[in-house]
Amino acid sequence: MGSISLPDMAVGIIHRCPTAYSGAHWKYDKNLCLGRCPPIFRTASKRKKNLFCKPHWLCKSRTSIFSSMDDSSDTFADVVETSGRNELLNIEEDELMTARKALSEAQARQEAIEKERDQLLEELASLEAKQQEYVATILHEKELAIAEVEAAKSLFHQKLQESVEEKFSLESKLVLAKNDAVELAVQVEKLAEIAFQQATSHILEDAQLRVSAAETTAAEAAYQIEKQIRDVTEGSILSIVEQSKYAIERALDVAEKAGEHATKAVSEFTEGMNPLDELASIQSKNIMLQGVVNDLESQLLLTRSDVDRLKLELEKAHAHGNAFELRAKDAEKALLEFQESSKKNTLQNEKEIMSLIEKMKKDSSERKKASSKAFKAELQSIRDAIGAAKEMAHSKDDAYLRRCEALQRSLKASEATTKMWRQRAEMAESILCKERPLGEGDEDSIYVVNGGRIDLLTDDDSQKWKLLSDGPRREIPQWMARKIRTIRPRFPPRKIDVAEALSSKFRSLDLPKPNEVWSIAQEKPKEGDTLIEHVIEKETIEKKRKALEHVLQGKTIQWQKTPEQTNLESGTGTGREIVFQGFNWESWRKQWYLDLAPKAADLSKIGVTSVWFPPPTESVAPQGYMPSDLYNLNSSYGSVEELKHCIEEMHSQGLLALGDVVLNHRCAQKQSPNGIWNIFGGKLAWGPEAIVCDDPNFQGCGNPSSGDIFHAAPNIDHSKDFVRNDIKEWLNWLRNDIGFDGWRLDFVRGFSGTYVKEYIEASAPAFAIGEYWDSLAYENGNLCYNQDAHRQRIVNWINATGGTSSAFDVTTKGILHSALHDQYWRLIDPQGKPTGVLGWWPSRAVTFLENHDTGSTQGHWPFPRDKLTQGYAYILTHPGTPVIFYDHLYDFGLHDILTELIEARRRAGIHCRSAVKIYHANNEGYVAQIGDTLVMKLGHFDWNPSKENHLEGSWQTFVDKGSDYKLWLRQ
């Protein structure tokens, strides 16, 4: 700030404020208002300045020059003495020197303040550099921590891979060695997990502590710097203002004193002089005063120039202050942003590390579970293979022993018969030749057959074998029975009591007993039966192949494989499937997926393995069987998200999800120019070329249909390559993206089974069921006994799929409708096997009583409600794959009954290929042994295992429902 000279007047700087302010250090005047001045910095300073200032520290004001005299020369009309003038000038020079000294001191203090501010800025810069170093250190430590985590992860994977390789290298050893290897791998996983946790826990804690310490230090440093700058700035401004105010007050006092002294001198001077002298002296003094005025004007101009320069410097200082304030705000904002970003990055890194740790824990637990499951599956496969080998060897030895015993019995019987007939021939010859005379009772002697062939032809067992060989026949009319009795030869009454027989006059022929006679129904075929031996050999080879396939598949199970990948084939699933139809005809009226999902735990608990879902696609009909856009899964049953949630719930309980896919027909979205609905929309935008040409309603341009026509919607031409490719892609999308595990194929009569084989091989489902619905044979309104043609058509379709798909056993359902009404003889065919597909190809037969078409609100072919328990007792204890209908389990109150039957099936180990041996099938009831450990009875037939001579073992009652059904398990 430049110097200001004040001759005979006081010059100062004022700030005009809108309001008056009074304080302890302020003097109030109506034309003067002093305010707090901002710090003034040198313009020549080239250092970077960063000052933290608050907005209220600066007060913008207008600056003006004031004086204690007017600009006109009339003010100086008064005359002063020369001595007084010199004294005033000396006083003014002293005041000016004092003002200059004060100004220089203020400038020195300002320079000191600037130096101190520069030091503070340097300290702030050093603190920022340290903070950056801390941040860099923290980031480096985080990178080291991440590197250590990755190293630990790689070490974990390496050790896991080593354990897997070690496991596979030890597979050729004994089972105990395998168990040790698995335990070692589990221990290695646990140690790796513990080491990883120990390695990462202290690193994370150290990093968090360092980050928090750095943030605390930076915040404290910023606060201290800001406080120091604020205190120093306020102090310097207050001191400058106080000094300036003091100097101005002193200048005003001096000016007042000079004015008073000048008036006194003028008054004294005027009293002692005459007018002429006064005039001359006044003129001379006027000339001198004019010079003085000129000098003062020149000094005033210089002062004004200094004031203007000070104004410019003050404006520059304001600009620098504003710039420093903006920089301070930007620095503060940047610091806050950096702190927030560092906090966010730290939290994000911590979350990522924690998620990585959780993921590694989850992967470790999943690998552990998968390894244990794989080991158990492999152990079970080895046990199954050993059991199959033992069973095969035992059955082979048993067959040879039975054949030898049969041959021995046959030889003995033939020798005894030959001997007996030789005796009879000799006796007859002696009688005819009258070699010996007849005794007294000889003329009445009649040879009695006790247990010989005559009994074999007339007892109850012969009727059984006749029923097995010829099948049931109509009841013999009375007139025919009377005629038969008249022509039948008369035999003597049978002697049951041995004493009575010995004392009788009738002579016995001593023929062999029935158990000594070889029976073809009880023994294995002879060596000469080439066709039968070929069938048996084929079954044996197939059984060996399945056992070896199961063993090999168990050996190739990897650690990461899921249970769905261990299924044997799509036509049978695991062989122990129990399917639950999870909907009925009215399910679309509710949020069905949300209603079905909570039932997953209950279904898994009672023993269900697969759940049949309703059609998932958008459909013209709400039930889903008239699909349009195949990729739109927002149907009447719920949204695609709800469907995925429901499938995930099933998977969480270990259940398979079977999707109901309609491949035969599809509803079009647009009309052709002819007004025919044959143009499809959505992702699969097909045209008339995708419709068969023999569909009369939709003007298709494709090839003729390979099956029956479904007239309600356009039938798809599966012979076209683009149609098959699109369907394969869609099925794989349902498998991979949606989560379905298998298929229920709707209306497969509409196209060839060869296309079904292609679709199944492309999508690789865990289980597939085809709906081949065909009418049974009836005669005069009654169900025919022989339904071979019906089940042959279903078997032909299964053959066309190459066995890749099973089919609903409609034949068994139709026969059960009549058989359970005291016609149980319908449940055995002439070959002694179960009727329906169950008797010919049980592994591909899916048995059921009711579905959404036959029951529910449609009721096209409902099963007799009073026979539901007997029907489920039959299909849940016999081979094949049984299906449970939703209404029966949750609406008809059969939950506990079905749970009990499923438990019996599980305990007996019944699967889709279990053997069936039927002991009785007549009007009163049905008795059969399934597998080796279960016997069941239907009807009011009075029977238990102790009454069956050929049923070995000790049996215990498991379920007793009286005349409905009974179940026994082998102890």
Side-chain angles (χ1 to χ4, degrees):
M1 186 180 290
S3 61
I4 304 174
S5 51
L6 300 169
D8 296 335
M9 61 179 176
V11 180
I13 301 173
I14 66 169
H15 299 274
R16 300 185 185 275
C17 302
T19 58
Y21 179 84
S22 63
H25 301 285
W26 298 89
K27 183 176 287 186
Y28 177 80
D29 187 68
K30 64 180 181 179
N31 294 325
L32 179 62
C33 179
L34 296 175
R36 295 185 181 183
C37 300
I40 302 173
F41 306 103
R42 291 184 178 181
T43 57
S45 178
K46 294 183 180 181
R47 296 179 182 177
K48 294 182 179 180
K49 301 173 179 65
N50 190 1
L51 182 63
F52 290 93
C53 300
K54 297 298 181 181
H56 66 272
W57 295 354
L58 298 176
C59 180
K60 295 185 178 180
S61 61
R62 293 178 295 169
T63 307
S64 62
I65 304 298
F66 73 93
S67 65
S68 61
M69 301 175 63
D70 295 331
D71 294 337
S72 63
S73 61
D74 296 335
T75 311
F76 296 94
D78 297 332
V79 180
V80 296
E81 292 179 351
T82 305
S83 61
R85 184 178 68 245
N86 293 332
E87 186 178 356
L88 289 172
L89 291 173
N90 291 330
I91 293 172
E92 290 174 357
E93 287 178 357
D94 293 335
E95 295 294 332
L96 287 173
M97 291 299 292
T98 304
R100 287 177 181 175
K101 186 177 180 181
L103 185 61
S104 62
E105 289 176 358
Q107 289 177 354
R109 283 195 298 272
Q110 182 179 354
E111 290 177 358
I113 290 171
E114 288 180 358
K115 289 181 180 179
E116 187 177 1
R117 189 199 67 228
D118 293 337
Q119 291 178 0
L120 292 174
L121 292 173
E122 289 177 359
E123 290 179 0
L124 179 61
S126 64
L127 288 175
E128 290 179 353
K130 288 182 180 180
Q131 187 176 5
Q132 291 179 357
E133 291 178 359
Y134 286 149
V135 172
T137 304
I138 292 168
L139 293 176
H140 180 65
E141 288 176 354
K142 286 183 179 180
E143 291 177 356
L144 291 177
I146 293 171
E148 290 179 1
V149 170
E150 293 294 330
K153 185 178 179 180
S154 61
L155 179 61
F156 172 76
H157 285 295
Q158 183 179 1
K159 289 184 179 180
L160 181 61
Q161 185 65 28
E162 291 175 359
S163 64
V164 173
E165 293 175 357
E166 185 178 359
K167 186 260 180 184
F168 284 121
S169 64
L170 295 175
E171 278 187 347
S172 59
K173 296 181 180 180
L174 298 175
V175 176
L176 294 177
K178 290 184 179 181
N179 191 11
D180 294 336
V182 171
E183 291 179 356
L184 180 61
V186 172
Q187 293 177 1
V188 169
E189 289 181 1
K190 290 182 179 179
L191 291 175
E193 184 178 359
I194 294 170
F196 174 75
Q197 292 178 354
Q198 293 178 354
T200 55
S201 60
H202 72 276
I203 295 172
L204 290 174
E205 292 177 358
D206 191 12
Q208 291 175 356
L209 291 175
R210 291 186 180 182
V211 169
S212 60
E215 290 178 353
T216 305
T217 304
E220 291 178 354
Y223 177 75
Q224 293 295 332
I225 292 169
E226 183 179 354
K227 184 177 180 182
Q228 291 177 5
I229 292 173
R230 187 189 303 114
D231 295 339
V232 171
T233 306
E234 289 179 355
S236 61
I237 291 172
L238 290 173
S239 62
I240 292 170
V241 169
E242 292 292 335
Q243 292 174 4
S244 300
K245 182 179 71 172
Y246 180 71
I248 291 169
E249 288 177 353
R250 289 186 61 187
L252 290 173
D253 292 336
V254 170
E256 289 178 359
K257 289 179 181 179
E260 292 176 357
H261 185 71
T263 54
K264 289 180 180 180
V266 170
S267 62
E268 291 176 358
F269 182 74
T270 55
E271 290 177 356
M273 292 185 68
N274 56 18
L276 294 174
D277 292 335
E278 288 178 2
L279 182 61
S281 61
I282 288 171
Q283 287 179 352
S284 61
K285 288 180 179 180
N286 282 335
I287 294 169
M288 293 175 66
L289 290 173
Q290 187 68 35
V292 174
V293 168
N294 291 331
D295 293 336
L296 291 174
E297 287 179 354
S298 62
Q299 289 180 3
L300 183 61
L301 292 173
L302 292 173
T303 304
R304 286 179 177 177
S305 63
D306 292 337
V307 170
D308 293 335
R309 184 171 55 80
L310 289 174
K311 279 184 179 182
L312 293 174
E313 289 182 357
L314 185 61
E315 290 177 356
K316 290 180 180 179
H318 278 293
H320 282 292
N322 293 330
F324 285 130
E325 183 181 3
L326 292 175
R327 290 182 182 178
K329 289 181 179 180
D330 294 338
E332 185 178 3
K333 186 177 180 181
L335 181 61
L336 293 175
E337 291 179 353
F338 174 73
Q339 290 177 353
E340 291 179 358
S341 62
S342 63
K343 288 181 180 178
K344 289 181 180 178
N345 293 331
T346 303
L347 293 174
Q348 185 176 2
N349 292 331
E350 290 178 358
K351 289 180 180 179
E352 290 178 356
I353 292 172
M354 294 301 294
S355 63
L356 181 62
I357 293 172
E358 292 296 331
K359 185 178 180 182
M360 293 180 67
K361 288 181 180 178
K362 187 176 180 181
D363 293 340
S364 176
S365 62
E366 288 179 355
R367 291 191 185 97
K368 182 178 178 181
K369 291 179 181 178
S371 64
S372 61
K373 286 183 180 179
F375 177 73
K376 290 180 181 179
E378 187 172 0
L379 184 61
Q380 186 63 32
S381 64
I382 294 173
R383 289 177 179 174
D384 293 342
I386 295 173
K390 289 182 178 179
E391 184 180 357
M392 184 174 60
H394 180 70
S395 60
K396 186 176 180 181
D397 296 340
D398 192 14
Y400 281 123
L401 290 175
R402 286 191 177 185
R403 182 170 294 179
C404 292
E405 291 175 358
L407 292 174
Q408 290 177 359
R409 288 197 300 270
S410 178
L411 182 60
K412 289 181 181 179
S414 61
E415 289 177 354
T417 305
T418 303
K419 182 178 180 181
M420 182 269 298
W421 283 111
R422 185 181 296 111
Q423 292 176 356
R424 290 185 62 187
E426 291 176 355
M427 186 181 297
E429 184 179 0
S430 63
I431 292 173
L432 292 174
C433 296
K434 295 183 180 180
E435 292 182 354
R436 67 180 180 87
L438 292 173
E440 294 179 356
D442 288 342
E443 60 272 14
D444 297 326
S445 296
I446 301 176
Y447 290 94
V448 180
V449 179
N450 292 324
R453 289 178 295 172
I454 302 300
D455 285 342
L456 184 62
L457 294 176
T458 58
D459 64 359
D460 294 337
D461 290 336
S462 64
Q463 298 296 331
K464 297 177 185 177
W465 296 121
K466 187 171 181 60
L467 179 63
L468 291 174
S469 59
D470 300 334
R473 53 190 175 84
R474 296 180 180 177
E475 189 175 355
I476 300 175
Q478 293 296 329
W479 62 269
M480 185 178 294
R482 289 193 298 269
K483 186 175 182 181
I484 291 174
R485 284 195 295 270
T486 56
I487 64 175
R488 187 176 62 180
R490 297 181 181 275
F491 293 100
R494 295 181 60 187
K495 302 297 181 181
I496 305 301
D497 189 5
V498 178
E500 183 181 358
L502 293 176
S503 61
S504 174
K505 61 179 181 180
F506 296 104
R507 189 177 299 175
S508 174
L509 294 178
D510 295 329
L511 295 179
K513 297 180 180 179
N515 58 357
E516 296 178 356
V517 178
W518 177 78
S519 174
I520 192 171
Q522 296 179 353
E523 303 299 335
K524 293 293 182 180
K526 294 184 293 185
E527 295 182 358
D529 300 332
T530 307
L531 180 61
I532 303 299
E533 284 187 351
H534 176 70
V535 173
I536 295 174
E537 184 180 2
K538 184 178 179 181
E539 291 178 353
T540 305
I541 293 173
E542 184 70 14
K543 190 173 183 179
K544 290 181 180 179
R545 186 184 68 81
K546 294 295 183 184
L548 292 175
E549 182 180 358
H550 185 67
V551 173
L552 292 176
Q553 190 160 3
K555 287 182 176 296
T556 55
I557 294 176
Q558 301 296 329
W559 288 69
Q560 295 83 6
K561 278 196 173 183
T562 58
E564 286 79 8
Q565 293 174 304
T566 62
N567 292 329
L568 296 181
E569 50 187 318
S570 58
T572 60
T574 60
R576 302 180 186 273
E577 303 292 342
I578 297 178
V579 181
F580 171 74
Q581 183 178 358
F583 65 100
N584 56 33
W585 191 251
E586 303 298 330
S587 297
W588 62 273
R589 300 183 184 276
K590 306 176 183 178
Q591 293 180 334
W592 194 247
Y593 296 142
L594 299 180
D595 292 344
L596 183 61
K599 294 181 173 62
D602 180 59
L603 294 174
S604 178
K605 182 179 179 181
I606 67 176
V608 171
T609 63
S610 304
V611 178
W612 167 14
F613 277 64
T617 56
E618 179 191 30
S619 173
V620 174
Q623 291 80 13
Y625 289 99
M626 299 288 284
S628 54
D629 186 3
L630 299 183
Y631 280 91
N632 184 3
L633 301 187
N634 295 316
S635 65
S636 301
Y637 299 98
S639 63
V640 62
E641 291 79 14
E642 294 172 352
L643 172 60
K644 289 183 178 180
H645 168 70
C646 189
I647 293 176
E648 289 174 358
E649 287 295 316
M650 299 301 166
H651 288 170
S652 66
Q653 298 296 331
L655 302 176
L656 298 178
L658 306 181
D660 198 334
V661 291
V662 183
L663 304 180
N664 175 74
H665 51 274
R666 181 186 172 195
C667 295
Q669 282 90 341
K670 297 180 183 179
Q671 289 177 303
S672 65
N674 299 332
I676 304 299
W677 291 90
N678 57 10
I679 299 177
F680 303 94
K683 186 176 180 179
L684 303 182
W686 299 338
E689 65 276 4
I691 303 174
V692 296
C693 61
D694 51 352
D695 190 346
N697 300 324
F698 299 97
Q699 297 182 1
C701 301
N703 296 319
S705 176
S706 57
D708 298 337
I709 298 295
F710 182 80
H711 296 282
N715 286 246
I716 302 303
D717 183 12
H718 294 270
S719 64
K720 296 296 181 66
D721 293 338
F722 74 92
V723 171
R724 294 200 306 277
N725 293 333
D726 288 345
I727 291 177
K728 293 175 188 176
E729 184 179 356
W730 177 62
L731 292 175
N732 283 311
W733 175 73
L734 291 178
R735 285 274 283 136
N736 301 326
D737 294 354
I738 306 304
F740 283 113
D741 303 298
W743 316 122
R744 182 265 184 185
L745 304 168
D746 182 73
F747 197 74
V748 294
R749 282 177 54 190
F751 53 101
S752 174
T754 56
Y755 300 130
V756 174
K757 177 183 179 182
E758 187 174 351
Y759 297 146
I760 290 177
E761 290 176 350
S763 59
F767 190 40
I769 311 171
E771 184 206 22
Y772 193 93
W773 192 278
D774 201 0
S775 298
L776 279 75
Y778 289 85
E779 183 178 1
N780 297 327
N782 297 322
L783 183 70
C784 296
Y785 169 76
N786 189 347
Q787 298 292 338
D788 291 350
H790 184 269
R791 57 176 172 174
Q792 184 63 56
R793 289 192 291 271
I794 300 176
V795 169
N796 290 340
W797 180 84
I798 300 174
N799 274 325
T801 67
T804 58
S805 174
S806 59
F808 288 106
D809 193 354
V810 184
T811 313
T812 296
K813 171 182 167 58
I815 291 174
L816 283 174
H817 276 249
S818 300
L820 298 181
H821 290 86
D822 297 336
Q823 298 180 13
Y824 299 100
W825 48 266
R826 292 184 179 274
L827 298 178
I828 184 172
D829 66 5
Q831 289 75 34
K833 298 180 180 180
T835 51
V837 183
L838 186 64
W840 282 0
W841 204 343
S843 64
R844 300 301 188 275
V846 178
T847 55
F848 71 106
L849 301 183
E850 220 166 65
N851 59 25
H852 58 284
D853 289 322
T854 64
S856 189
T857 56
Q858 289 204 102
H860 291 326
W861 193 20
F863 198 86
R865 180 166 295 192
D866 58 337
K867 301 297 182 181
L868 281 174
T869 55
Q870 283 191 344
Y872 276 117
Y874 182 85
I875 67 173
L876 287 173
T877 58
H878 279 65
T881 302
V883 177
I884 299 173
F885 187 45
Y886 179 92
D887 294 356
H888 297 163
L889 184 63
Y890 289 110
D891 295 338
F892 285 13
L894 301 180
H895 187 278
D896 294 338
I897 294 175
L898 295 175
T899 303
E900 189 177 50
L901 291 172
I902 294 173
E903 178 63 18
R905 183 182 183 90
R906 185 191 65 80
R907 290 194 182 186
I910 298 173
H911 49 83
C912 66
R913 295 183 176 88
S914 295
V916 179
K917 184 176 182 181
I918 302 174
Y919 291 103
H920 301 280
N922 50 37
N923 292 334
E924 296 179 351
Y926 168 87
V927 178
Q929 178 182 351
I930 301 92
D932 296 326
T933 58
L934 186 142
V935 173
M936 65 93 62
K937 176 188 76 73
L938 296 176
H940 48 82
F941 185 67
D942 185 14
W943 184 91
N944 60 67
S946 62
K947 295 184 178 181
E948 195 67 35
N949 296 328
H950 303 288
L951 188 60
E952 300 176 352
S954 178
W955 299 83
Q956 182 180 6
T957 304
F958 183 75
V959 179
D960 186 0
K961 297 298 181 180
S963 60
D964 286 341
Y965 62 92
K966 288 185 180 181
L967 303 182
W968 292 268
L969 293 177
R970 186 192 296 271
Q971 292 183 352

